[in-house]
């Protein structure tokens, strides 16, 4: 079998580094063709020397010389800047693009990769939140498959194997509830970023860890699920499951439910997306029932964690509202991480932006770009 040639966008992050572990474990199946990073030049150089891609992109132009000086000796091409990131996905030798970069920055590279008919392994959920309709239409037109890497969506995708002729009645996205499950608004007022950055079950990048603490992550995932599985808002439910063993469930028309379960470990959904439709062996730790005598479930608290309610509102109204929510949230999370605002302000800023930034029912790509800029500008005035 020919090796699959992979471009990893965001190779220095949490998903990116775990994807490289998967590649290393299955070096006979996968070959790294492209690696990209925002500014972590040292790690990008190390990765490139080890995995020998054809090309790398460093988005932060001030780091370009450092990377290029080392990698030219290894015969690896180095490019810089956002434009290069958006172009490199089109390289003829690339089969699969793993979008493991964070935030709105994933949108244009993903669009270009789809136009170039590359299979997408999608970790960058923000892309589907910002422009889910545009992306799914484009993927259909180009015959491109989008394979989910997010663990909940990966779980649903696995449950749907062999079920393509059967209607989904409903899906349940499981949520750990984050570090502040059960807390009241009063208790959340003075939460520090150090507290919010400690996730009980998953070790992830800073932005998604804060999103998990505010339940924005689950809100973004509800929107992501709509586009990946073509569902109506009322077909998507969220259930809090603090042990994170059931990664999500599908309920079919006959009432039967399928779940995908296992220990929380992102290497599994990454590997499945890369190897699909095949399963590859894995040395990961196996689930032991006796370690988890109780799996528990709760309703999410959508009043305290208002972001989840905002996400459903964005889903109901459609248009550019989810793009507004995403942009506001990116600005607010950054401000929280810089100690400029409190924990509860994040959702307040998101709500204000959704109320104030102009709504567009049928946005074009240019409208999304403008909406993103406007929502960011407005969010910054609230900080
Ligand atoms: P991270 O912060 O650990 O890594 C982000 C990567 O993207 C880094 O390589 C960084 O250099 C690059 N990057 C950051 N900003 C960029 C920009 N403006 N332009 C280009 N590159 C940029 O993030 P992560 O936790 O690996 O998450 C990546 C994506 O995967 C996010 O969309 C997240 O929601 C999603 N995801 C992550 C996990 C997880 O377990 N970490 C689980 C599910 C989904
Ligand atoms: Mg997830």
């Amino acid at each position: 079998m020919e090796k699959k040639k992979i471009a990893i966008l965001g190779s220095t992050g949490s998903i990116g580094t775990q994807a490289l572990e998967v590649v290393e474990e299955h070096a006979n199946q996968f070959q790294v063709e492209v690696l990209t990073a925002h500014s972590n030049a040292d790690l990008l150089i190390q990765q490139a020397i080890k995995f020998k891609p054809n090309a790398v992109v460093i988005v932060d132009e001030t780091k370009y010389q450092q990377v290029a000086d080392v990698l030219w000796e290894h015969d690896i091409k180095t490019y810089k800047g956002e434009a290069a990131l958006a172009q490199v996905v089109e390289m003829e030798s690339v089969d699969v693009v793993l979008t493991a970069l964070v935030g709105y920055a994933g949108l244009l590279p993903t669009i270009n990769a789809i136009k170039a008919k590359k299979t997408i392994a999608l970790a960058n959920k923000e892309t589907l939140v910002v422009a889910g309709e545009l992306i799914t239409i484009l993927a259909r037109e180009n015959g491109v498959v989008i394979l989910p890497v997010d663990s909940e969506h990966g779980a649903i995708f696995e449950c749907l194997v062999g079920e393509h002729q059967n209607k989904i009645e409903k899906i349940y996205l499981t949520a750990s509830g984050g570090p502040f499950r059960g807390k009241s608004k009063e208790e959340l007022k003075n939460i520090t970023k150090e507290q919010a950055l400690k996730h009980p079950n998953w070790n992830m990048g800073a932005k998604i860890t804060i999103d998990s603490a505010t339940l924005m992550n689950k809100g973004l995932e509800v929107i992501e699920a709509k586009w990946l599985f073509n569902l109506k808002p009322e077909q998507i439910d969220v259930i809090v499951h603090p042990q994170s063993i059931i990664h999500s469930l599908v309920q079919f028309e006959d009432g039967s439910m399928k779940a995908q379960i296992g220990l929380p470990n992102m290497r599994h959904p990454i590997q499945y997306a890369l190897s699909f439709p095949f399963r590859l062996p894995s040395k990961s730790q196996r689930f032991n029932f006796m370690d988890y005598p109780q799996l528990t479930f709760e309703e999410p608290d959508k009043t305290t964690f208002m972001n989840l309610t905002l996400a459903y509102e964005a889903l109901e109204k459609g248009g550019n509202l989810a793009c507004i929510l995403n942009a506001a949230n990116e600005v607010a999370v950054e401000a929280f991480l810089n100690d400029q605002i409190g924990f509860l302000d994040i959702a307040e800023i998101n709500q204000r932006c959704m109320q104030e930034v102009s709504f567009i029912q049928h946005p074009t790509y240019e409208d999304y770009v403008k909406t993103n800029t406007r929502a960011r500008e407005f969010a910054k005035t609230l900080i």
Side-chain angles (χ1 to χ4, degrees):
M1 204 172 83
E2 282 237 346
K3 285 189 189 181
K4 260 188 207 168
K5 298 202 177 96
I6 305 172
I8 304 179
L9 311 185
S11 64
T12 56
S14 160
I15 294 288
T17 50
Q18 293 179 84
L20 285 173
E21 289 170 18
V22 170
V23 169
E24 194 177 3
E25 196 178 334
H26 299 284
N28 54 340
Q29 307 276 340
F30 306 122
Q31 183 181 318
V32 176
E33 198 60 19
V34 175
L35 295 174
T36 84
H38 186 268
S39 43
N40 190 344
D42 294 332
L43 184 55
L44 182 65
I45 290 169
Q46 263 181 40
Q47 292 177 334
I49 291 173
K50 182 165 176 183
F51 290 93
K52 301 182 176 33
N54 194 331
V56 305
V57 178
I58 181 93
V59 174
D60 179 348
E61 306 202 0
T62 65
K63 301 284 177 73
Y64 168 76
Q65 212 53 51
Q66 184 194 344
V67 180
D69 281 351
V70 180
L71 295 188
W72 78 267
E73 289 180 30
H74 295 263
D75 223 7
I76 297 167
K77 299 182 212 67
T78 303
Y79 302 103
K80 63 180 173 187
E82 280 174 25
L85 175 68
Q87 269 173 25
V88 78
V89 296
E90 298 168 357
M91 264 172 49
E92 200 165 319
S93 52
V94 170
D95 300 315
V96 182
V97 176
L98 170 63
T99 65
L101 71 179
V102 59
Y104 176 86
L107 180 61
L108 188 57
T110 308
I111 289 178
N112 286 355
I114 294 173
K115 286 184 180 163
K117 302 198 192 302
K118 310 298 183 188
T119 299
I120 308 292
L122 184 126
N124 176 250
K125 64 191 90 189
E126 292 92 344
T127 284
L128 281 184
V129 173
V130 168
E133 186 165 23
L134 186 145
I135 293 287
T136 42
I137 291 175
L138 206 59
R140 207 177 315 132
E141 284 172 359
N142 285 281
V144 162
V145 189
I146 300 180
L147 301 162
V149 171
D150 213 347
S151 59
E152 296 76 2
H153 307 73
I156 289 171
F157 186 73
E158 283 192 54
C159 293
L160 291 175
V161 168
E163 301 280 3
H164 69 271
Q165 68 280 44
N166 295 322
K167 267 198 203 139
I168 299 173
E169 187 168 84
K170 192 171 187 173
I171 65 167
Y172 290 90
L173 296 176
T174 51
S176 70
F180 308 132
R181 179 172 60 88
K183 293 231 186 298
S184 67
K185 272 207 169 162
E186 197 48 43
E187 291 170 298
L188 291 176
K189 258 189 193 155
N190 299 315
I191 286 296
T192 62
K193 71 175 175 205
E194 287 74 21
Q195 291 170 301
L197 282 169
K198 278 202 194 95
H199 194 278
N201 303 343
W202 301 96
N203 187 4
M204 311 175 287
K207 196 254 177 186
I208 183 174
T209 306
I210 301 303
D211 285 347
S212 298
T214 64
L215 287 205
M216 186 72 264
N217 183 51
K218 211 49 55 180
L220 300 179
E221 291 185 354
V222 166
I223 302 172
E224 181 186 13
K226 179 210 157 70
W227 296 114
L228 281 172
F229 306 114
N230 191 21
L231 300 170
K232 298 193 178 71
E234 59 273 20
Q235 288 177 291
I236 309 169
D237 223 330
V238 171
I239 188 84
V240 174
H241 165 46
Q243 298 81 18
S244 297
I245 295 299
I246 300 182
H247 299 311
S248 280
L249 310 91
V250 182
Q251 179 175 308
F252 295 95
E253 281 187 307
D254 56 1
S256 174
M257 296 169 92
K258 278 166 93 172
Q260 190 265 338
I261 85 167
L263 292 172
N265 178 356
M266 282 311 295
R267 279 181 57 173
H268 172 70
I270 295 169
Q271 175 170 310
Y272 190 72
L274 294 180
S275 67
F276 179 80
F278 303 105
R279 288 184 187 275
L280 296 177
S282 162
K283 297 193 193 86
S284 67
Q285 193 191 336
R286 301 318 200 228
F287 178 73
N288 177 359
F289 283 90
M290 293 312 118
D291 290 342
Y292 292 88
Q294 274 191 329
L295 298 181
T296 60
F297 306 96
E298 298 164 21
E299 282 287 343
D301 176 356
K302 290 187 193 164
T303 320
T304 306
F305 299 93
M306 188 173 64
N307 277 329
L308 189 52
T309 305
L310 295 178
Y312 272 100
E313 190 187 324
L315 200 56
E316 289 285 351
K317 294 201 181 139
N320 65 342
L321 203 53
C323 176
I324 297 171
L325 172 59
N326 179 71
N329 184 61
E330 286 189 21
V331 171
V333 169
E334 199 183 324
F336 175 70
L337 287 171
N338 292 330
D339 300 313
Q340 292 169 299
I341 58 168
F343 183 77
L344 292 175
D345 297 330
I346 299 174
E348 293 291 337
I349 290 171
N350 292 346
Q351 186 177 37
R352 282 285 305 280
C353 287
M354 285 172 70
Q355 287 161 351
E356 304 290 336
V357 178
S358 316
F359 180 71
I360 304 170
Q361 187 68 70
H362 299 290
T364 61
Y365 172 72
E366 287 70 28
D367 292 328
Y368 287 122
V369 175
K370 274 187 211 142
T371 300
N372 177 62
T373 307
R374 281 193 199 130
R376 275 168 196 273
E377 282 166 4
F378 185 69
K380 283 181 187 155
T381 68
L382 302 175
I383 285 159

